[in-house]
Amino acid sequence: MACLRNGAGSRGLSARSRYPSMPRYPKGAAAPPMPSAVVELEERAEAARAVLFSVAGMTCSACAASVEKAVKRLPGIHDAAVDVLNNRAQVLFYARYVDEITIREAIEDAGFEAALIESELNRERALTCRMHIKGMTCSSCSSTIESALQGVPGVQKALVAVATEGAEVQYDPKLVTAKQLVEKVGDLGFEAILIATGEDRNKVRLILEGILTDPYMRMVESSLQAVPGVEEISIDPILHGVSVSYRSDVTGPRSFIETIESIEPGHFKATIFPEGERFPQRQQEIKQYRQSFLWSLVFTIPVFLTSMVLMYVPGIKHGLDTKLVNMLCIGQLLRWILSTPVQFIIGRRFYTGSYKALRHGSANMDVLIALGTNAAYFYSVYSVIRSATSHDFEAMDFFETSSMLISFILLGKYLEVLAKGKTSEAIGKLMNLAPEAATLLTYDSEGNVINEKEIDSRLIQKNDVIKVVPGGKVAADGLVVWGQSHVNESMITGEARPVAKRKGDSVIGGTVNENGVLHIQATHVGTESALSQIVSLVESAQMAKAPVQKFADRVSRYFVPLVITLSLCTWLTWLLAGKFDGYLRFWLPPSMDRFELALQFGISVMVIACPCALGLATPTAVMVGTGVGASQGVLIKGGQALESARKVNCIIFDKTGTLTVGKPVVVRTKLFKNLALRDFYDLVAAAEVNSEHPLAKAIVEYARKVRGEEGTHAWPEARDFVSITGHGLKAVVDNKDVLVGNRRLMLDSKIPISTEAEEILKKTEQMARTGILVSVSGELVGIIAISDPLKPSARDVVSILSSMKVRSIMVTGDNWGTANAIAREVGIETVVAEAKPEQKAEKVKELQMSGCIVAMVGDGINDSPALVAADVGMAIGAGTDIAIEAADIVLMKSHLEDVITAIDLSKKTFARIRQNYIWALGYNIIGIPIAAGVLFPSTRIRLPPWIAGAAMAASSVNVVCCSLMLRHYRRPKKLETLEMGEIKVQ
């Protein structure tokens, strides 16, 4: 998985623009007066730029077509896509021929208003910061923060997730800083903790122990600033910590600790910040809610007992009813005293949350709770004061309503944050793959090991040499510099069998050394490691919102005001009904008048309606779904990819490295001249050793076997080497002209191909093999047949997809003969061969135009345009960085059956989201009328406010627990992985 190191970022046009095809010039457009070959070379060297416009005035697909046509008519436009639903246009262009202003003017000339939203130039210099935000209670809070951040000049994109309590903001550092973004969140009344600024890829936080006076802290700061490679230092005097941003190729955290402790030996002690818990804020929040709930019970239980239990015990009832002042009795005074701390101290968080929300013109769950509990509490205070000043007024207090309501809500929030913590278990499991300690080796000047020292694995720096014993975990990504062993990489790559490792081989942090001792030189540490990149990818995926969540965001925006209105209407309706004798007097519960009955109905409506359940329905399911996907080896980049994957009804497969293993081997050699096989391969390997092509590597590897030698071999010198793209190569070896390539190369070089050779080539292609022709001194001397074995699961995967009503198509750059042979083997009927990268993307668009939801599965650079164009791009994990960057889903284990897992998991996740919405909406649709007293006239059934509060808290917990059921996800029964990677179809 080292391919993830360069960043498996979110899907975008940037990946495609790095490998553009030629721009299309419409008829009549003036192209620059250059020779076509020069133009082609220059345009291939120049990356196309992406720009995004908002387009106002579009009403239908015909409008979108007009905009697209107007843009594509311009010279230098590589591609344009118009989204009429979101009123946006995305254009890929070459700055040599056209600019953003010209494109905007073209859209306006077509009769629409256009405004620049985002330019790739801005996106290239943009940074992404991550924050943890405390105090959010529902999607209304997250929407408020998100809107405020997006309104800050320089912010290009902001995502706020209430489920993860995090924010991810893409911003231009020239216009705004991460600190200003944190302050903006603080101004909204929420507490923001900056996790990463995007400016410092390598940052470490150290905790200091000792006498930490200001002079000493300044001494620490100046000492660290003198360390080469240190870029920025931040001192936290309150927590006695220091944060250091640094260049990992120059220094590291171990150097910082040694520097600090060397200032005054024995005076300071520095340790790396204990981040054993991935989400310390979440643990702190769980602890706070637990403590608040327990303290509320201390006061609420006596209130409950004195109002609902002890009143029926004769002796105690008499004591509680004893009058103190006029009609004020001991029981009422006790309940007032006990409920006050619950209302104003333990329940202070609801006042704070309400104030923050209302101050910024929004309303959240805290507003409903504060209004409901205050109505009950202050009416009770009014009743108690009136009874104390009256000789005949008997008070009916609701102190138990306010205190029990707060207690049940705190219990619900405690259970909710406890459950939400479990949605991130997948990330915790990934982080636990890394060992806690490592053995650092120290060498003398002659390269001999002179010392071994056990250190915290987080203190490993680049170029450190780490010793890994049998059974131990590899502490960092690196290269083997000594020893031989087998390493189990299944937890990262999914490869079931241990992989042999020797000097020069790469290893991945978190994998397990099976046997033998290895000395490994660290090459990627900290956030640069493959494991950290995977974790970062999963975290970003959990932050991203699925399109379906927009529904909840829209509803939550109006939900609280609507509920408050319904509550007031309920109270007023029952009050007027009582005043004008709309119901019989005996309907009233004992010791309750008509006003109090109406007030209870109003409070019940206010507290039973919960926007939290609606807001948590989508993000919790997406969090668990992406986490489960990561544990299954399927990295899904957010809710958009998850939602699109469930709709896929057509899949395009690349051939090499996707349907096939991607490791070509020589399977047959046919010579037409009297030439020793060893001499033949000496000539071929001498030419091919200069090429990076996979087929060339297969030939060189086979040539070594023919010689009976391993490792590097000094082949004869090759002169005048020329690589002919798409055809082969030529060179001069031992004063002989050697050509190695396909049929086209031989024909272009006037090398005659005999009938026998043509027959062998034809049979080779029919057997799904690639035929390589070799000529020496103008004569065809041999054919090399190379086979790239089909993946054992390929045929079964295509069969299962067919049973799922998903059509399979193969699009490859290989020849038609080999492509058709492979297609027959796997059961694919539609084949497109000899396709260039842009032709693959055009095939995707053609299928989309016909109404298909298309997924593209590939692994190479030439697949990246198609991966971006597809509705869902799936990259094979062992593929190239560019393919992984362009894709929406990364199949980390490189198993083809994970395509089915991704589709099935997305369907199961969205089935869970639908259940969550049904529960959340159904709960409110049923609960609000009952709380409003709809059943009371016929059945006398009513919901006291404290029961309504308990039901409200239960709804959020239920939604989260429903999402957590996804943790028990199992792959479809049709898939049973057998040994050697085979699949059995049940």
Side-chain angles (χ1 to χ4, degrees):
M1 290 306 298
C3 53
L4 285 170
R5 290 188 189 113
N6 289 341
S10 60
R11 177 185 176 188
L13 286 172
S14 58
R16 177 167 49 176
S17 67
R18 289 166 60 183
Y19 297 89
S21 59
M22 287 287 295
R24 297 183 294 255
Y25 293 97
K27 196 171 182 179
M34 294 184 185
S36 59
V38 175
V39 172
E40 180 176 354
L41 287 174
E42 289 190 359
E43 287 177 350
R44 289 188 182 277
E46 176 190 4
R49 294 178 181 174
V51 66
L52 186 65
F53 293 95
S54 67
V55 183
M58 295 189 297
T59 57
C60 61
S61 57
C63 299
S66 299
V67 173
E68 190 170 326
K69 188 175 181 181
V71 172
K72 287 185 175 179
R73 191 178 291 121
L74 296 172
I77 299 296
H78 174 63
D79 201 1
V82 182
D83 181 1
V84 69
L85 294 178
N86 294 309
N87 296 315
R88 292 189 174 192
Q90 203 165 29
V91 184
L92 199 65
F93 69 100
Y94 291 93
R96 180 188 300 272
Y97 311 115
V98 68
D99 58 22
E100 296 158 353
I101 296 174
T102 305
I103 297 171
R104 178 175 57 79
E105 290 173 349
I107 297 174
E108 291 175 347
D109 289 342
F112 303 92
E113 294 181 10
L116 179 66
I117 296 177
E118 182 182 7
S119 169
E120 188 175 87
L121 293 176
N122 294 332
R123 193 162 61 235
E124 284 174 357
R125 68 168 180 251
L127 298 175
T128 301
C129 75
R130 298 173 65 89
M131 291 181 275
H132 174 79
I133 300 177
K134 300 172 68 175
M136 292 191 295
T137 57
C138 60
S139 56
S140 177
C141 300
S142 62
S143 298
T144 300
I145 299 171
E146 198 170 280
S147 299
L149 287 173
Q150 286 177 336
V152 175
V155 172
Q156 298 172 6
K157 186 178 181 182
L159 287 173
V160 181
V162 67
T164 60
E165 296 177 336
E168 194 169 85
V169 186
Q170 192 177 46
Y171 67 100
D172 187 342
K174 293 185 178 179
L175 300 176
V176 68
T177 65
K179 185 178 179 181
Q180 290 173 324
L181 296 175
V182 171
E183 291 172 354
K184 181 64 177 178
V185 176
D187 291 342
L188 296 173
F190 300 90
E191 183 182 350
I193 301 171
L194 191 64
I195 298 173
T197 65
E199 299 172 353
D200 33 46
R201 182 163 181 77
N202 293 286
K203 186 174 184 178
V204 66
R205 185 176 174 189
L206 304 174
I207 299 297
L208 305 181
E209 296 178 14
I211 302 174
L212 303 172
T213 59
D214 287 343
Y216 277 124
M217 294 300 284
R218 286 195 295 270
M219 195 182 301
V220 168
E221 185 175 4
S222 59
S223 298
L224 289 174
Q225 285 174 339
V227 176
V230 170
E231 295 178 338
E232 186 179 348
I233 298 170
S234 175
I235 300 291
D236 186 345
I238 298 175
L239 297 177
H240 299 158
V242 55
S243 297
V244 186
S245 302
Y246 62 97
R247 290 174 51 195
S248 62
D249 57 335
V250 178
T251 187
R254 196 171 69 254
S255 299
F256 307 148
I257 291 176
E258 290 172 355
T259 299
I260 293 171
E261 294 182 349
S262 65
I263 295 173
E264 282 192 22
H267 185 88
F268 286 119
K269 184 180 179 183
T271 55
I272 198 165
F273 186 76
E275 294 178 347
E277 293 177 349
R278 186 66 179 171
F279 304 100
Q281 296 90 356
R282 176 66 52 78
Q283 297 302 319
Q284 183 181 0
E285 186 180 23
I286 291 172
K287 183 179 178 181
Q288 287 175 348
Y289 273 114
R290 183 174 63 245
Q291 289 178 344
S292 296
F293 170 65
L294 292 176
W295 273 111
S296 71
L297 284 183
V298 171
F299 296 97
T300 301
I301 290 175
V303 172
F304 171 76
L305 292 176
T306 57
S307 63
M308 296 187 177
V309 178
L310 300 179
M311 295 300 293
Y312 299 99
V313 180
I316 299 176
K317 181 181 185 302
H318 176 73
L320 293 174
D321 287 341
T322 301
K323 301 296 187 290
L324 292 174
V325 179
N326 291 330
M327 299 299 290
L328 175 64
C329 61
I330 292 176
Q332 292 172 339
L333 184 61
L334 281 174
R335 288 191 289 274
W336 186 8
I337 294 171
L338 290 170
S339 63
T340 299
V342 179
Q343 182 71 34
F344 298 107
I345 300 176
I346 298 172
R348 181 174 176 269
R349 66 176 68 242
F350 302 118
Y351 286 99
T352 305
S354 301
Y355 170 73
K356 292 174 181 176
L358 294 173
R359 192 179 69 174
H360 296 95
S362 63
N364 59 10
M365 185 195 74
D366 290 335
V367 174
L368 296 179
I369 296 170
L371 284 174
T373 56
N374 276 325
Y377 178 83
F378 284 108
Y379 176 76
S380 301
V381 171
Y382 159 77
S383 298
V384 169
I385 293 174
R386 185 177 174 186
S387 65
T389 57
S390 174
H391 296 286
D392 57 358
F393 178 78
E394 289 190 11
M396 173 65 183
D397 66 82
F398 296 144
F399 286 120
E400 80 285 351
T401 295
S402 64
S403 57
M404 291 176 68
L405 186 55
I406 289 174
S407 296
F408 274 111
I409 290 169
L410 289 174
L411 173 62
K413 294 299 291 183
Y414 168 63
L415 295 175
E416 182 185 318
V417 296
L418 202 64
K420 283 199 293 186
K422 294 183 182 295
T423 61
S424 300
E425 281 187 352
I427 293 179
K429 289 178 180 178
L430 284 171
M431 292 302 297
N432 288 336
L433 291 177
E436 294 182 0
T439 303
L440 177 68
L441 300 180
T442 305
Y443 290 81
D444 60 17
S445 58
E446 296 179 358
N448 300 315
V449 177
I450 58 173
N451 185 38
E452 294 184 8
K453 180 182 179 182
E454 188 171 293
I455 62 169
D456 189 317
S457 61
R458 293 172 295 174
L459 299 180
I460 297 174
Q461 300 178 185
K462 274 190 178 179
N463 299 319
D464 282 346
V465 178
I466 305 299
K467 178 182 178 181
V468 185
V469 298
K473 286 186 177 181
V474 178
D477 297 0
L479 296 173
V480 177
V481 294
W482 180 88
Q484 294 186 58
S485 183
H486 287 78
V487 175
N488 187 339
E489 299 180 340
S490 59
M491 66 284 294
I492 301 291
T493 65
E495 182 63 42
R497 290 180 295 179
V499 181
K501 300 292 181 181
R502 64 176 70 179
K503 184 176 180 180
D505 290 340
S506 62
V507 290
I508 306 170
T511 55
V512 179
N513 182 24
E514 295 282 338
N515 49 30
V517 177
L518 294 176
H519 291 180
I520 296 166
Q521 184 177 33
T523 56
H524 296 83
V525 296
T527 55
E528 297 178 358
S529 68
L531 193 58
S532 292
Q533 297 255 336
I534 293 171
V535 170
S536 177
L537 189 74
V538 176
E539 286 180 332
S540 295
Q542 293 182 341
M543 183 70 64
K545 290 185 179 181
V548 71
Q549 193 174 339
K550 293 177 183 177
F551 167 74
D553 291 343
R554 284 195 298 268
V555 171
S556 63
R557 192 174 302 146
Y558 307 104
F559 191 88
V560 175
L562 179 63
V563 168
I564 293 173
T565 304
L566 286 174
S567 176
L568 291 173
C569 290
T570 300
W571 170 74
L572 189 60
T573 300
W574 279 100
L575 184 64
L576 293 175
K579 185 175 182 179
F580 295 104
D581 296 323
Y583 56 85
L584 300 175
R585 180 69 180 82
F586 72 85
W587 286 12
L588 286 171
S591 304
M592 186 179 292
D593 61 24
R594 298 178 189 274
F595 177 84
E596 291 166 348
L597 179 66
L599 182 63
Q600 279 214 351
F601 279 130
I603 294 172
S604 295
V605 170
M606 193 174 295
V607 298
I608 198 170
C610 179
C612 295
L614 200 62
L616 291 171
T618 297
T620 53
V622 170
M623 281 183 68
V624 179
T626 51
V628 168
S631 66
Q632 297 272 353
V634 179
L635 298 183
I636 303 171
K637 298 180 183 177
Q640 174 72 59
L642 203 61
E643 185 166 349
S644 299
R646 72 188 176 98
K647 303 175 185 176
V648 167
N649 54 21
C650 179
I651 295 186
I652 296 178
F653 290 98
D654 176 44
K655 181 182 77 69
T656 306
T658 303
L659 291 173
T660 63
V661 175
K663 297 178 180 178
V665 292
V666 175
V667 293
R668 185 187 176 195
T669 307
K670 174 65 177 178
L671 299 181
F672 302 114
K673 298 294 180 182
N674 188 16
L675 184 67
L677 187 64
R678 177 170 172 152
D679 295 337
F680 170 78
Y681 271 105
D682 275 354
L683 292 172
V684 177
E688 292 281 21
V689 76
N690 297 293
S691 173
E692 290 296 321
H693 197 282
L695 297 182
K697 292 180 179 179
I699 291 173
V700 172
E701 186 65 30
Y702 187 76
R704 290 197 180 102
K705 293 179 180 178
V706 169
R707 276 187 160 271
E709 298 177 5
E710 296 289 340
T712 304
H713 172 74
W715 305 104
E717 182 183 358
R719 295 181 289 107
D720 302 330
F721 173 85
V722 178
S723 177
I724 305 167
T725 305
H727 298 302
L729 56 86
K730 60 183 179 180
V732 176
V733 182
D734 289 341
N735 296 320
K736 299 174 183 176
D737 293 327
V738 178
L739 272 74
V740 185
N742 58 19
R743 183 189 288 104
R744 174 55 55 191
L745 177 64
M746 298 300 156
L747 294 177
D748 290 347
S749 302
K750 304 294 189 290
I751 306 297
I753 302 175
S754 65
T755 305
E756 180 186 5
E758 286 284 7
E759 286 294 326
I760 293 173
L761 270 179
K762 186 177 180 180
K763 290 179 180 178
T764 298
E765 292 174 356
Q766 288 174 348
M767 296 172 68
R769 297 171 178 173
T770 302
I772 303 295
L773 302 172
V774 180
S775 77
V776 178
S777 299
E779 289 185 281
L780 187 67
V781 297
I783 295 180
I784 301 172
I786 298 179
S787 173
D788 188 2
L790 198 66
K791 286 185 177 177
S793 60
R795 184 174 184 84
D796 291 324
V797 167
V798 171
S799 175
I800 294 171
L801 287 171
S802 179
S803 70
M804 295 168 64
K805 309 300 182 187
V806 178
R807 178 186 175 195
S808 296
I809 298 173
M810 185 173 74
V811 179
T812 178
D814 210 339
N815 64 75
W816 280 96
T818 304
N820 284 322
I822 290 288
R824 282 194 301 272
E825 279 194 58
V826 299
I828 292 177
E829 296 179 358
T830 307
V831 180
V832 178
E834 299 179 5
K836 295 179 180 178
E838 59 269 26
Q839 291 172 329
K840 291 184 178 183
E842 287 170 4
K843 181 63 180 177
V844 170
K845 293 178 183 177
E846 179 186 323
L847 290 166
Q848 289 171 331
M849 291 288 286
S850 67
C852 295
I853 305 299
V854 183
M856 171 70 193
V857 185
D859 72 321
I861 289 173
N862 59 348
D863 297 322
S864 58
L867 288 168
V868 173
D871 296 288
V872 182
M874 299 187 186
I876 297 296
T880 61
D881 293 340
I882 185 65
I884 289 172
E885 183 181 342
D888 302 294
I889 297 174
V890 181
L891 308 180
M892 193 164 53
K893 298 179 180 179
S894 298
H895 291 171
L896 206 55
E897 57 267 31
D898 285 340
V899 171
I900 298 170
T901 302
I903 294 174
D904 182 69
L905 177 59
S906 69
K907 289 181 178 180
K908 295 284 175 52
T909 301
F910 272 81
R912 191 65 60 180
I913 290 173
R914 280 195 297 270
Q915 290 178 27
N916 286 346
Y917 275 132
I918 290 171
W919 170 259
L921 291 172
Y923 159 83
N924 284 299
I925 290 171
I926 296 171
I928 291 176
I930 294 175
V934 171
L935 300 179
F936 186 70
S938 58
T939 64
R940 306 296 181 274
I941 294 176
R942 65 186 179 89
L943 287 180
W946 63 272
I947 293 179
M952 183 204 70
S955 67
S956 296
V957 176
N958 184 80
V959 164
V960 177
C961 291
C962 186
S963 295
L964 284 173
M965 295 295 290
L966 276 170
R967 291 193 303 166
H968 305 295
Y969 169 80
R970 295 290 180 269
R971 298 201 306 168
K973 291 183 179 179
K974 294 178 181 179
L975 294 180
E976 280 193 3
T977 306
L978 303 176
E979 292 182 5
M980 307 299 293
E982 292 181 353
I983 292 181
K984 177 176 71 179
V985 182
Q986 292 186 337

